[in-house]
Amino acid sequence: MEQSQGRVVVNRVRDGEEVASAVILYPDGVIDEKLPGGPKLEPDWALQNPRDYLYVVEKGVSKALKAGG
């Protein structure tokens, strides 16, 4: 399984400068062999779990804000 990631960036509104960021790995990554707890995928399939996006928001926003002070 290939590792994928999401990135959260905190920018200062006044000038758009990047203040901080956080990179969070998707728990399920690229699903290209079998569905989690499910059947094997056909060749050349590649899926992602939408819950991974929510996980990035949940973990990444607080991590990026903390890094930005």
Side-chain angles (χ1 to χ4, degrees):
M1 184 185 317
E2 184 180 320
Q3 269 301 59
S4 294
Q5 59 191 16
R7 182 175 177 169
V8 176
V9 179
V10 177
N11 291 68
R12 187 171 35 236
V13 175
R14 181 179 66 240
D15 57 11
E17 182 179 337
E18 183 177 314
V19 176
S21 66
V23 175
I24 306 294
L25 296 178
Y26 290 157
D28 287 321
V30 175
I31 303 166
D32 59 359
E33 294 177 9
K34 64 175 258 175
L35 292 173
K40 187 174 179 177
L41 295 173
E42 296 291 323
D44 299 322
W45 277 58
L47 305 172
Q48 290 183 316
N49 185 342
R51 282 188 221 133
D52 287 352
Y53 312 144
L54 298 174
Y55 180 81
V56 168
V57 172
E58 178 187 332
K59 301 297 181 188
V61 169
S62 60
K63 186 175 179 181
L65 288 173
K66 185 176 181 180

